[in-house]
Amino acid sequence: QNTRGLRSQLKDSVPVTGMGQQVGAYGVQDTLRSGFSSVKNELLPSHALELSEKNFQLNQDKMNFSNLRNIQGLHAPLKLQMEYRAARQIQRLPFLQSSHLALDTLKGNDESISFEDILNDPSQSEMVGEPHIMMEYKLGLM
Amino acid sequence: YRKMATLSVCQPQLGGFSFENCKRNAVLEAEVTKLGCNVPSARKTGTTICGVVFKDGIVLGADTRATEGMIVADKNCSKIHYISPNIYCCGAGTAADTEMTTQIISSNLELHSLSTSRLPRVATANRMLKQMLFRYQGHIGAALVLGGVDCNGPHLYSIYPHGSTDKLPYVTMGSGSLAAMAVFEDRYKQDMEEEDAKRLVRDAIAAGIFNDLGSGSNIDLCVITKGRVDYLRPHDMANKKGVRTGNYKYKQGTTGVLTKSVIKLDLEVVEETVQTMDTS
């Protein structure tokens, strides 16, 4: 029987120690991309909600897929995840704003408004990514 | 700032809450308290809000004072928020939180009702509110009284900041909730008439206004029945500002003039300069 619960799928969530540096080549911290490291700053999250908010969408998806698997069988989440993966690839270059229309429609986000749409709109942010570096990072050249 | 600069290199920005400044704020707060000053506090509503189910629908009531610490920030604020044509919500707690929460839920409910082509139900609004408030673990300080009439009849819910809800025939929230609840416990009866229900809610809010420092000014009522909403603002001005009875201004000529001497000051023009305005 498919009684696998949510627990078995939580391994992808960001654990507490995952607040730290991105690890570059050879397992050493990536000073070029993440700057100098300070253990005190990265040991604990700065706000009680920071971790739970980072993982929220991931956990919701996992819970929904888990339910879907238990109700309708393995094919249902597999098919949905395949569609998500396809829709996620429809976007512009990384430094430009993509609308994610297909992905939002699939997830049902086109029929709801939450803080992600009101606060910190990425299209209005003051910092713009450096195009060349972002493309190199995306293509894995860097 | 280093972290933000490099984040924009590797990953695209996401919307929603950003916790970047939390550590900086903690440091600033420590510095400020060391100097002996206070950080500015959020404006709370320190309120009395209540709701009651009567024979044909719901009566919601609220006072109209918003406080900022010990000072009254707004003498006549509106605490009964619109959620949908048949659902209204009173909000206590942090004023901004209640305002934003009710607006977000109102938008979501509108989208939902357009998608289902049906009048929204109170249970839907309740479910959306409790899921959102639980997600933020009580950091959003919004205590709400949600009431409305839908296809299943009148419903009244109270929603606490951490996400728990109660479905009851009469509820009170806010700092004056105990005073209002005392009035309800004494005089509530099932299946009241509309006038009795309005009088009961008015008296409950008045109890909160006169016995609690955090509530004051006027009483707002909202009567929701099937197909009709009466938003009575203000229903009762319990605290009218007094009118001065006396006039303390002196008439012209009250002080008698004894002598009068005029001394002319001779001023001579020393220098005259003209500065042209740039009108181009």
Side-chain angles (χ1 to χ4, degrees):
Chain A
Q1 284 299 328
N2 290 335
T3 48
R4 305 250 184 90
L6 196 47
R7 214 85 193 93
S8 63
Q9 301 175 46
L10 276 178
K11 56 186 178 309
D12 289 338
S13 312
V14 180
V16 182
T17 49
M19 288 298 302
Q21 290 281 341
Q22 295 179 12
V23 181
Y26 308 112
V28 184
Q29 59 253 48
D30 209 346
T31 319
L32 179 66
R33 272 190 224 114
S34 337
F36 295 108
S37 59
S38 156
V39 176
K40 193 175 79 145
N41 280 347
E42 267 112 37
L43 204 56
L44 289 170
S46 50
H47 192 268
L49 286 179
E50 192 171 352
L51 265 185
S52 83
E53 279 298 294
K54 219 183 218 178
N55 288 335
F56 186 75
Q57 205 47 52
L58 279 172
N59 287 337
Q60 284 289 93
D61 288 343
K62 285 193 170 64
M63 191 170 71
N64 291 336
F65 283 140
S66 191
N67 276 337
L68 212 51
R69 181 189 178 157
N70 288 337
I71 297 173
Q72 294 185 15
L74 187 54
H75 76 98
L78 280 182
K79 209 184 254 191
L80 266 180
Q81 278 177 324
M82 187 193 73
E83 288 177 12
Y84 281 9
R85 196 167 286 200
R88 210 173 291 137
Q89 292 178 354
I90 308 170
Q91 48 176 295
R92 312 175 84 182
L93 296 175
F95 50 90
L96 293 171
Q97 274 308 305
S98 7
S99 68
H100 299 292
L101 190 58
L103 193 59
D104 277 348
T105 314
L106 268 178
K107 287 190 167 165
N109 288 342
D110 61 334
E111 283 179 350
S112 73
I113 296 181
S114 73
F115 288 115
E116 276 80 34
D117 306 307
I118 300 173
L119 301 173
N120 261 341
D121 192 6
S123 58
Q124 313 276 351
S125 88
E126 304 140 348
M127 309 275 284
V128 177
E130 165 64 38
H132 297 289
I133 299 180
M134 289 181 95
M135 273 312 290
E136 284 175 11
Y137 185 74
K138 181 176 175 201
L139 295 174
L141 298 172
M142 210 171 107
Chain B
Y1 278 96
R2 181 65 58 82
K3 202 165 187 182
M4 195 173 169
T6 50
L7 264 182
S8 66
V9 169
C10 302
Q11 289 136 32
Q13 298 269 41
L14 293 165
F17 287 111
S18 155
F19 299 101
E20 276 154 15
N21 289 332
C22 288
K23 289 205 169 83
R24 175 204 76 165
N25 290 348
V27 170
L28 278 177
E29 199 170 328
E31 299 270 307
V32 164
T33 42
K34 215 189 302 175
L35 290 172
C37 314
N38 290 340
V39 278
S41 66
R43 180 189 294 193
K44 300 181 73 80
T45 49
T47 306
T48 311
I49 49 174
C50 64
V52 92
V53 177
F54 70 98
K55 197 170 69 167
D56 306 318
I58 304 272
V59 179
L60 297 172
D63 72 305
T64 57
R65 177 184 286 183
T67 52
E68 210 168 284
M70 287 286 115
I71 302 176
V72 174
D74 192 345
K75 286 186 283 242
N76 199 355
C77 71
S78 149
K79 296 184 191 178
I80 307 189
H81 309 282
Y82 166 88
I83 301 263
S84 83
N86 59 327
I87 304 174
Y88 278 73
C89 179
C90 310
T94 311
D97 288 346
T98 59
E99 188 73 40
M100 285 264 83
T101 307
T102 46
Q103 282 178 350
I104 287 180
I105 297 303
S106 168
S107 308
N108 276 330
L109 214 56
E110 173 76 16
L111 286 169
H112 189 258
S113 101
L114 284 170
S115 155
T116 56
S117 349
R118 290 189 174 100
L119 199 63
R121 300 192 190 190
V122 192
T124 319
N126 178 50
R127 191 53 67 130
M128 287 180 175
L129 279 166
K130 80 194 297 187
Q131 283 178 349
M132 193 182 91
L133 290 174
F134 183 72
R135 172 176 172 178
Y136 294 105
Q137 291 290 297
H139 285 272
I140 293 192
L144 307 164
V145 166
L146 176 75
V149 178
D150 58 22
C151 55
N152 289 338
H155 302 279
L156 186 66
Y157 292 90
S158 72
I159 305 165
Y160 291 82
H162 282 265
S164 61
T165 61
D166 289 311
K167 183 176 193 311
L168 294 165
Y170 55 94
V171 290
T172 64
M173 294 288 251
S175 55
S177 62
L178 290 173
M181 186 51 93
V183 175
F184 274 166
E185 288 287 1
D186 187 32
R187 286 164 39 187
Y188 172 78
K189 283 185 280 295
Q190 251 192 342
D191 291 331
M192 285 183 288
E193 292 299 327
E194 181 173 329
E195 283 311 313
D196 289 334
K198 277 162 74 169
R199 208 173 313 128
L200 180 61
V201 172
R202 187 240 156 245
D203 288 341
I205 300 287
I209 286 178
F210 291 119
N211 294 296
D212 174 45
L213 287 178
S215 319
S217 300
N218 313 326
I219 302 171
D220 289 347
L221 278 192
C222 184
V223 185
I224 311 174
T225 51
K226 197 175 175 67
R228 183 178 60 100
V229 171
D230 285 330
Y231 193 97
L232 306 161
R233 174 177 160 79
H235 172 67
D236 193 337
M237 304 196 77
N239 293 307
K240 254 205 213 82
K241 197 166 176 183
V243 181
R244 279 207 193 96
T245 47
N247 190 357
Y248 295 97
K249 282 198 159 63
Y250 289 104
K251 280 203 308 289
Q252 279 269 4
T254 317
T255 319
V257 179
L258 295 175
T259 50
K260 184 166 147 182
S261 64
V262 178
I263 305 168
K264 206 170 159 70
L265 281 173
D266 281 328
L267 297 168
E268 49 180 81
V269 180
V270 175
E271 195 196 331
E272 193 174 317
T273 54
V274 175
Q275 217 172 26
T276 47
M277 219 165 49
D278 195 346
T279 50
S280 56

